[in-house]
Amino acid sequence: MSLTGTADISAEQSVLGAVFLDPNVLDEISFLEDRDFLDVKHQQIYRVMKWLDDKQQPVDVVTVTEMYVKHNRADEVSVSYFAQLAESCPTTSNVKYHANIVRSKAIRRRGSEIGNQIAELAREDFETDEDYFAAVEALATEIRPDERGRMQSLSETRDKYFKHLLSKEVEYIETGFPQFDGWANGVYRGDLFISAGRPSVGKTAKLLQRTLGVAASGPVLLFSQEMDEDQLKDRMISNITGIPYNRIRNKELNPRQYGEVEEAYNRLEKLPIYIQDSSGVTIEEVRATARRFKRKYGDVAMVAVDYLQIMKIPQKKGENRSTAIGNVTQAAKQIARELKCVFMMLSQMSRESEKNKGKPMLADLKESGSIEQDADVVEFLWIDHHDTEPQGKVVQQFIAKGRNTGLNEFRLLFRGWKQQFIELEKRK
């Protein structure tokens, strides 16, 4: 074994010996994972120690030896080795220092191993370059340790809190809908916002109009899976100009209207709106794209996906669809927190919701369990056939979950011919 390898093993032995000396040090080195140990025997010993500690059982030479021998081949390590470990560390005072050495060495080993795996990916046949990028980025994320938060006292975080109070940075972003913004202040950075509705209720049109409002405060990254970017632009141009959407879509513009479209596009292109119109996007691809954007350009105001159920959602062996959906919504929430942006995700409602003619409930979300749990805000767009207006279709906006805002309802007039929503007064 090289001198470097010997030093690695020595640090590992010191950590395990410290645990034998005082099992309470496991709390100090909770950041250490069993995979961080180079020696497979040490991985298994540390795993046994953690298991015994989790079960509130004694962690000593006798209990660890017994459990190790019970679950591993006894000839892999002599019983005397456990006693040697216990004697190898005269004090626990340096355990955190040694644990950090173990983790740091492990991170670099994983980097080297994953580098080789990434090199192997180049030989595989991927359908698209994006699938290759997603596979590379998924491997790269495995290098990072499984970080856990650290408890901090109020005195430790005092300066951070008052810096937050004095900061000019606001946590919310106005959407351009005055009634909603007046009530909720807009949409909040770090939130997962789910907008759900049955087909043809105007989910995409509402998203695009929100995009125009949010983009006044910062960049919006829009992932569209059903419509290409020209179709989205047609809708936004119709919204801005009032030119009938069908005339734009069918290219039936007279010279005056063409001039209005060009003028509107000049205004539109000044907004930081970025569109990717590939179908079957994965949440890893969304994460990687958003991270690259932030590294290159800075702040992100909103990431939007239209829509959840048609994303490419891989299912592991034995995993059901609902659990796989949960992996996506959890990742979306993590992206919102990591990038300090709002993550806006459109979602379908279940077919069963059509039988309910009244106000939707959270259970009406398609594959609802994890969506409902992970979302900070759940909005339903639905039609109440008893509520009509001659100028267009009335759409009810029901905030069914609002972690920071509470619940509320709004009436919207959807003038579909120009892809535009306006807020109405509430019924008395």
Side-chain angles (χ1 to χ4, degrees), residues 25 29 50 62 66-67 96 121 124 131 134-135 150 155 197 307 343 363 390 406 413-414 425 427:
V25 302
I29 60 171
K50 294 284 287 182
V62 175
E66 181 182 6
M67 184 65 66
K96 200 167 182 180
L121 287 178
E124 294 187 21
D131 287 344
R150 182 176 73 86
S155 62
Y307 59 91
F343 197 119
L413 182 69
F414 182 40
E425 292 299 319
R427 286 185 296 181

Side-chain angles (χ1 to χ4, degrees), residues 378-395:
V378 176
E379 160 193 275
F380 288 108
L381 301 177
W382 65 287
I383 305 297
D384 180 352
H385 297 288
H386 300 292
D387 189 2
T388 59
E389 291 283 346
Q391 307 99 313
K393 178 167 62 176
V394 178
V395 175

Side-chain angles (χ1 to χ4, degrees), residues 242-290:
I243 297 172
Y245 169 61
N246 284 337
R247 290 190 70 87
I248 298 174
R249 184 181 63 176
N250 297 328
K251 304 171 186 174
E252 298 171 349
L253 300 172
N254 59 40
R256 178 182 60 79
Q257 289 171 327
Y258 188 88
E260 290 177 10
V261 168
E262 191 169 16
E263 183 181 336
Y265 198 95
N266 291 341
R267 289 162 49 200
L268 190 59
E269 70 180 353
K270 290 182 172 65
L271 293 174
I273 298 172
Y274 301 82
I275 299 171
Q276 179 174 318
D277 60 3
S278 54
S279 60
V281 69
T282 66
I283 194 64
E284 286 300 331
E285 186 180 342
V286 172
R287 189 203 306 269
T289 301

